[in-house]
Amino acid sequence: MAIPNDSGPKEIVRLITCGSVDDGKSTLIGRLLFDAGAIPTDQIAALPDLDGAPDMSFLVDGLSAEREQGITIDVAYRFFDIGERRFVLADTPGHEQYTRNMVTAASTADLAIVLVDARKGVLTQTRRHSRLLALLGVRKVVLAVNKMDLVEGSRERFDTIVEDYGAFAEQIGLIDVTAIPTCARTGGNVSSADDLMPWYSGPRLMAHLRTVRLAGAATVPMRMTVQGVSRPHADFRGFAGRIVAGAARPGDAVHILPSGVSATIERIVTMDGDLDEAGAGQSVTLTLTPDVDVSRGNLIAAAGAPPEVADQFEAHLVWMSERPLLPGRSYWLKLGAETVGARISDLKHKVNVDTGELLAATTLALNDIGLCTLALDAPVAFEPYAVNRDLGGFILIDRMTNETAGAGMIRFALRRAANIHPQALTVSRTDRAALKRQSPLVLWFTGLSGAGKSTIANRVEQRLLAEGLHSVMLDGDNLRHGLNRDLGFTDADRVENIRRVAEVARLMTDAGLIVLVSFISPFREERRMARERMEAGEFLEVFIDVPLDVAEARDVKGLYAKARAGQLSHFTGIDSPYEAPEAPELRIDAAACSVDEAADRIIALVHTAQAAGRTA
């Protein structure tokens, strides 16, 4: 986001306004912009009498029409100057469903104004926003008790709200709170005194914004996230990115993470020429000596104090999707310029935003806040969010829809991430497969309950045994009597069910076996995850396809009847979805062929895969 600046160098302050709906946020923003001279002349001329105007939200609230139409609202940014400071004000809606927008804005804020309607006091959304401010590292807060004219400027009412909010703020770690009684409609205590509140002797809001001491820039080691490799000609290879902490100078020793390779900064290149030094916030291109391997997503860090590298973390998570969090499901995690696969391995609790109570939870819904552990597919360089927002803040992306599903703040790496290392083994999966004279393979049978998956898979294994091939069958019902007996049939449990089975199947392919997996496995995302666990060409998805009425007619266990009667919940095909494969290696119309005919087609597929494995 470009920050306009036509009045010379100024200190940039990122400010967010938040609070519940109708606390007067838009009116306060309008007053700030007007008093700071940031409203265009033609808008000022249109005002008959600013002090007497009943509402100024039309000046700045370009979101009102979008609200009425139900359009998703993004963060709106306003710019204004007070003294030697240029403010970048993030205007986010107060509605609960738009909490995700507030998280986006607060993640970079230096200072927050929390509005409270003097008549209503501290509400649930006030607490929600304040708790998020604390999680997101915003430590300077102005509590603007607004609409004081509607309580006749009551000092007693102001003191009650300040005491209520102060107790809550201390509980969540917001210890630098300045309370100001305001009347945004008339400008009272925004830039001038208010006759209704002669008892107030503290700073006006604009004076406070002009003079409040912000957190000073700490002396921190250099870190630069690599966003691309620049090679305009054969004699130049540079690494473009943004410095997120510290300063870089030619001659500085650096480490490339996560690889740990060492190098020295040779040049700092920009469009305006080389620099002798570049600091936090600047986007530059570094050349290194020697010419080491660096890729997008890597981190270039000061050699004397590099950050940690890990693949397992504990983190706070704010859920931002209408699709609930499913622990065990694979998401994309974006940290800095790096994107890796990740899953929530354990959801420790979620937070009651009103009381602060920690609640047991198996999932998170829209706007929920929780504490979790994450497991990544590859190690990344990071720092705790409290130390470095850029290297400690991440987003989770839904791999199916590509939407931002959650925003997180890393607390620390799990100790086991540093203490557990893969053990090198002398006997390889290739050796084990060669001993069996076959190639490892997974036949993943998916389809509705009653489609015939296990019956067909059992016949296929009989044929494999007759041919002298080594196999093992993993059946859904059988594993729920042992390995997965602790799991139910909720979406979250189904995800974990398939994750465990995929890990077992992977181990068995390491043993050189042909593994037949017969599970409903209703979600495409988990079947994709299982495929990615296997070596290329070793996963064959077999869709046993029958219409729902045929599956019900074959139901010897009576499960469909129980589900129809409401006696069995989360049953696939009735009240839980089945996502049919989009491109399986083989589709069997089990309503139109016999078990032996289906087995013939699958055995032919196995022969083709075995031939490909021998020539690979």
Side-chain angles (χ1 to χ4, degrees):
M1 177 185 63
I3 300 174
N5 193 338
D6 54 8
S7 54
K10 288 180 179 289
E11 180 186 12
I12 303 299
V13 179
R14 297 182 181 273
L15 172 68
I16 179 175
T17 56
C18 49
S20 195
V21 178
D22 297 328
D23 281 349
K25 178 171 59 68
S26 295
T27 305
L28 179 66
I29 292 173
R31 175 61 66 174
L32 282 173
L33 292 178
F34 178 77
D35 287 353
I39 295 177
T41 304
D42 58 344
Q43 289 187 345
I44 296 173
L47 289 174
D49 178 2
L50 189 59
D51 287 339
D55 184 7
M56 293 189 300
S57 62
F58 66 91
L59 292 176
V60 295
D61 192 0
L63 305 177
S64 57
E66 295 170 340
R67 288 178 184 151
E68 292 172 3
Q69 296 171 32
I71 298 174
T72 299
I73 299 174
D74 293 322
V75 179
Y77 290 94
R78 324 291 182 186
F79 306 92
F80 62 94
D81 295 346
I82 302 177
E84 297 305 311
R85 286 177 166 173
R86 166 141 294 191
F87 287 83
V88 183
L89 189 153
D91 177 13
T92 58
H95 299 73
E96 180 179 346
Q97 64 266 39
Y98 300 122
T99 299
R100 70 190 87 178
N101 305 87
M102 182 266 176
V103 171
T104 300
S107 65
T108 60
D110 304 303
L111 175 67
I113 299 175
V114 177
L115 277 86
V116 173
D117 187 322
R119 299 166 301 172
K120 302 174 184 176
V122 178
L123 303 176
T124 295
Q125 191 69 339
T126 315
R127 290 186 171 90
R128 182 187 301 275
H129 282 178
S130 298
R131 194 175 293 280
L132 287 169
L133 291 175
L135 280 178
L136 292 161
V138 182
R139 294 292 177 260
K140 298 281 185 177
V141 173
V142 175
L143 176 66
V145 182
N146 197 32
K147 301 187 180 182
M148 287 295 294
D149 55 324
L150 301 183
V151 294
E152 299 178 347
S154 170
R155 180 173 188 171
E156 181 181 0
R157 181 58 180 158
F158 174 74
D159 289 343
T160 298
I161 292 173
V162 171
E163 183 179 356
D164 184 15
Y165 185 83
F168 174 72
E170 184 177 0
Q171 172 193 335
I172 62 175
L174 292 178
I175 58 175
D176 193 339
V177 179
T178 300
I180 302 176
T182 62
C183 178
R185 184 179 64 85
T186 64
N189 288 333
V190 177
S191 59
S192 60
D194 192 308
D195 293 339
L196 274 176
M197 295 172 278
W199 47 266
Y200 178 70
S201 58
R204 314 303 172 211
L205 178 57
M206 291 190 70
H208 179 72
L209 294 179
R210 183 173 61 249
T211 59
V212 62
R213 293 187 61 182
L214 302 175
T219 302
V220 293
M222 192 278 289
R223 281 93 170 84
M224 189 185 95
T225 55
V226 178
Q227 296 170 340
V229 179
S230 174
R231 194 156 196 168
H233 52 78
D235 298 327
F236 182 92
R237 186 166 181 259
F239 308 105
R242 179 171 171 267
I243 298 177
V244 298
R249 303 171 190 84
D252 285 353
V254 295
H255 283 329
I256 314 303
L257 299 173
S259 69
V261 173
S262 299
T264 300
I265 298 175
E266 184 178 39
R267 297 171 57 193
I268 302 174
V269 183
T270 72
M271 295 293 290
D272 299 321
D274 285 14
L275 301 178
D276 294 328
E277 181 177 319
Q282 287 184 268
S283 294
V284 297
T285 297
L286 301 182
T287 65
L288 304 176
T289 181
D291 188 11
V292 296
D293 184 28
V294 182
S295 305
R296 173 179 170 80
N298 287 171
L299 187 76
I300 300 177
E308 293 182 72
V309 173
D311 61 1
Q312 296 184 63
F313 306 99
E314 180 171 286
H316 284 110
L317 186 63
V318 182
W319 199 246
M320 304 166 72
S321 172
E322 294 180 356
R323 298 175 57 169
L325 164 70
L326 296 179
R329 170 162 288 184
S330 181
Y331 298 89
W332 290 119
L333 180 143
K334 191 172 190 305
L335 175 67
E338 179 72 293
T339 301
V340 298
R343 60 182 177 83
I344 307 301
S345 52
D346 181 30
L347 182 57
K348 294 179 176 292
H349 61 248
K350 70 176 181 178
V351 181
N352 182 317
V353 296
D354 195 29
T355 66
E357 183 183 4
L358 305 183
L359 306 173
T362 58
T363 186
L364 295 179
L366 176 65
N367 295 328
D368 278 347
I369 304 169
L371 182 68
C372 66
T373 56
L374 293 114
L376 278 56
D377 291 346
V380 296
F382 80 100
E383 287 182 305
Y385 186 84
V387 174
N388 188 319
R389 290 183 178 183
D390 291 279
L391 297 182
F394 63 87
I395 61 172
L396 291 180
I397 301 169
D398 189 305
R399 298 178 70 150
M400 295 291 288
T401 66
N402 216 33
E403 71 167 339
T404 299
M409 292 71 70
I410 293 174
R411 297 187 67 207
F412 51 79
L414 300 186
R415 183 175 298 176
R416 62 177 178 261
N419 296 339
I420 299 177
H421 306 280
Q423 175 65 46
L425 302 176
T426 303
V427 179
S428 69
R429 70 197 317 268
T430 302
D431 296 328
R432 301 184 193 104
L435 183 65
K436 297 176 176 63
R437 295 182 175 85
Q438 63 184 39
S439 297
L441 195 63
V442 172
L443 293 170
W444 193 283
F445 294 79
T446 178
L448 292 171
S449 176
K453 299 181 299 300
S454 295
T455 302
I456 294 171
N458 187 60
R459 186 64 53 85
V460 170
E461 189 173 30
Q462 289 177 326
R463 296 275 298 272
L464 294 175
L465 179 65
E467 293 185 15
L469 294 172
H470 300 261
S471 64
V472 65
M473 182 168 168
L474 303 177
D475 179 78
D477 282 354
N478 291 346
L479 264 67
R480 281 188 177 274
H481 281 90
L483 176 66
N484 295 340
R485 69 184 305 166
D486 59 318
L487 299 176
F489 292 91
T490 65
D491 286 354
D493 282 347
R494 288 178 183 274
V495 169
E496 175 61 14
N497 188 41
I498 299 305
R499 187 195 69 79
R500 293 182 191 179
V501 173
E503 294 292 349
V504 172
R506 166 70 194 199
L507 290 172
M508 290 186 169
T509 58
D510 283 346
L513 295 170
I514 297 173
V515 187
L516 296 87
V517 179
S518 176
F519 277 68
I520 294 173
S521 47
F523 303 132
R524 295 189 190 106
E525 180 61 24
E526 276 55 63
R527 298 196 299 268
R528 180 204 55 75
M529 175 274 296
R531 182 185 294 272
E532 290 182 353
R533 288 285 188 273
M534 312 306 163
E535 298 293 326
E538 289 185 4
F539 185 95
L540 302 177
E541 187 174 33
V542 181
F543 178 27
I544 308 301
D545 189 12
V546 296
L548 179 61
D549 60 340
V550 173
E552 287 197 62
R554 293 178 173 179
D555 181 24
V556 296
K557 302 174 186 176
L559 299 179
Y560 281 98
K562 288 182 179 179
R564 294 285 188 191
Q567 300 171 1
L568 186 62
S569 59
H570 305 292
F571 192 77
T572 303
I574 304 300
D575 60 349
S576 187
Y578 177 78
E579 298 172 356
E582 295 177 326
E585 275 72 21
L586 185 61
R587 174 186 171 274
I588 301 291
D589 183 352
C593 69
S594 68
V595 172
D596 285 325
E597 289 171 336
D600 287 342
R601 294 183 60 192
I602 296 167
I603 289 295
L605 181 66
V606 171
H607 289 163
T608 300
Q610 290 293 300
R614 286 191 293 271
T615 60

